[in-house]
Structure formats: C-alpha cells, structure tokens
Amino acid sequence: MITVHHLENSRSQRILWMLEELEVPYDIKRYEREPTMQAPAALRAVHPLGKSPVITDGERTLAESGAILEYLADTYGKGRLKPAPGTPERIHYSYFLHYAEGSLMPLLLLRLIFNRMPDRLPFLLKPVGRAISAGANKTLLDPQFANHFAFIEGELAKREWFAGAEFSAADIQMSFPLEAAAARAPVVRQMPRISAFLDRIHLRPAYKRALEKGGPFELMK
Ligand SMILES: N[C@@H](CCC(=O)N[C@@H](CS)C(=O)NCC(=O)O)C(=O)O
C-alpha cells in the first residue's frame, strides 16, 4: 500500500491528485507545518531531507514531486498520464516535469522570501526591508515572471495540455507553480491560456477528490 506523507498546504497535494487520477488506493499520513512554516522534524524520520512530498510504497521510500509522479505513472499508470517514449509528446512531458521545479518554482520561492522579509524584521528596520523587497520584486522578479509567463502561454497556444492533446502527469506537476503564481504573481491570471488551464484543472473530479482528502489548500502570497 502506498502512503503519502502529506504536509498541509504543500506540493504533496499534487501526489494525492495523481493517485486520484490513477484510482490507486493509498493512505495519507498528515503533517502540520511549524509556526515558522517549516515541516515538522517527524518528516526527517521518513526521508533525510524532511520535505514533502514523500511516499512509501512497501519497502521503497521516494521523495521529489517529479520523481514520484514519474514513478507512479510508470508503476501504476498502465499507459495512462504519460506519453509513449520516442514521441514529441514525451519530450514535452519530460521538459515540463523538470521545468516546474527546476526553473519556475525557484522564482516563486524567491518571491515568497522577499514578500515575507519585512514582517520578520524589527519594527524600525521594516521600512528598509520593504524597500529592498519592493526593489527585488520590481527589478529582479517581475521581469522574470513576465518572461516565463509569456513562454508558458506560448506553449499552451500550441497544445491543449503541457505534453500534448492528452492530460498527463506534466500537467499535475505544472499545477503547483501556477497555483503559487496565482497567489504571488497574480498577473498570471491575465494570461488567458494559463488562466484557462487553472480553471480546467479545478473542474477535474480527481482534483476535487484530492482536495477533499488533503484538506485546505491555500498557498501563501
Ligand atoms: N523540489 C521538491 C521540493 C520539496 C519542498 O520544498 N517541499 C516543501 C513543501 S511545498 C516543504 O517540505 N517545505 C517545508 C520545509 O522546507 O521545511 C519537490 O518538488 O518535492
């Protein structure tokens, strides 16, 4: 039996969704974030990095969202949710499985850090923190977001889903950075195809079932 070590409001929501799409039975072990927003130490007993998602499947322990999604598609997919090897779709699939965490998420994490930095400073330093944060957002991050969102919008103009005409695990992987973008770089909602992608995934029955099982899912600004 698969166990998903599920941290509230986190990337592990994607794994619940994948399992719901595949209709594979699983258990959920829940973890709450510390007041610092870090994962609790208990997760380090499952995997040395102590991050979520992690799954266990029998004797196997697996971390890293993209690797978990690939493992689930390969092991339980029966050909579903991943394009056949050697096809153009498979190349897009692989690209977006990596791009989501390798290129897009670091920018969204930086945004979160700069947004929250002023709150963490002593009262008298807050104006300085706010100025640094505003400067970094404007000169460093906003141009990056404009570039990435235009790129993603262009990709979705060529194909209905990230890999091709069929929904795949690459769409599940891309959902988290795009949901985080909707919270932290709301200009993303002005991109018609990205916005339609978000609306479309929210309507999927498996997405809704995963939300019911995973609990509230609200990403920080
Ligand atoms: N690239 C990893 C990132 C894992 C990660 O940073 N997870 C976050 C949850 S969204 C986490 O565990 N944060 C708590 C912490 O860093 O203590 C993946 O996609 O699985």
Side-chain angles (χ1 to χ4, degrees):
M1 175 70 100
I2 297 170
T3 299
V4 181
H5 296 267
H6 176 60
L7 179 66
E8 60 179 340
N9 271 326
S10 82
R11 289 162 168 91
S12 52
Q13 190 60 43
R14 279 187 294 208
I15 308 304
L16 304 183
W17 178 20
M18 177 74 174
L19 287 161
E20 290 294 332
E21 291 281 353
L22 293 176
E23 296 177 303
V24 173
Y26 61 96
D27 286 331
I28 303 180
K29 187 152 194 275
R30 293 168 197 283
Y31 300 81
E32 285 181 11
R33 290 181 186 265
E34 300 289 345
T36 58
M37 299 310 289
Q38 298 293 105
L43 259 175
R44 248 174 265 135
V46 187
H47 185 281
L49 296 183
K51 305 275 179 197
S52 180
V54 183
I55 63 163
T56 48
D57 187 8
E59 294 298 300
R60 193 170 279 133
T61 301
L62 199 61
E64 199 60 51
S65 326
I68 297 171
L69 292 179
E70 273 197 287
Y71 169 79
L72 293 174
D74 291 349
T75 313
Y76 297 101
K78 300 184 187 130
R80 285 170 301 160
L81 300 190
K82 69 166 188 184
T87 58
E89 287 81 1
R90 182 59 168 252
I91 292 168
H92 297 312
Y93 167 83
S94 178
Y95 176 80
F96 282 106
L97 272 182
H98 290 277
Y99 166 81
E101 287 293 326
S103 292
L104 193 51
M105 268 320 289
L107 297 173
L108 290 152
L109 186 60
L110 274 176
R111 175 74 112 199
L112 181 66
I113 290 167
F114 280 118
N115 283 353
R116 289 172 57 83
M117 187 184 67
D119 300 341
R120 299 190 164 217
L121 291 173
F123 181 74
L124 287 175
L125 290 179
K126 281 186 194 301
V128 180
R130 275 196 286 271
I132 294 172
S133 168
N137 277 331
K138 192 166 170 220
T139 59
L140 175 71
L141 292 177
D142 288 349
Q144 288 283 338
F145 284 130
N147 199 17
H148 279 258
F149 296 161
F151 161 67
I152 298 167
E153 186 74 6
E155 291 296 295
L156 287 176
K158 297 179 206 157
R159 303 176 291 281
E160 185 176 1
W161 297 102
F162 279 102
E166 303 285 328
F167 177 81
S168 77
D171 299 296
I172 297 181
Q173 178 76 336
M174 280 297 289
S175 68
F176 188 83
L178 292 177
E179 306 260 27
R184 293 171 207 163
V187 68
V188 77
R189 273 292 192 175
Q190 290 169 21
M191 311 300 281
R193 290 189 176 85
I194 300 177
S195 202
F197 169 84
L198 286 171
D199 293 341
R200 215 156 61 233
I201 61 172
H202 294 161
L203 292 174
R204 291 183 77 85
Y207 181 97
K208 292 183 191 170
R209 287 198 303 276
L211 269 191
E212 279 159 26
K213 293 191 184 166
F217 182 58
E218 197 182 336
L219 298 182
M220 285 178 63
K221 289 191 178 158

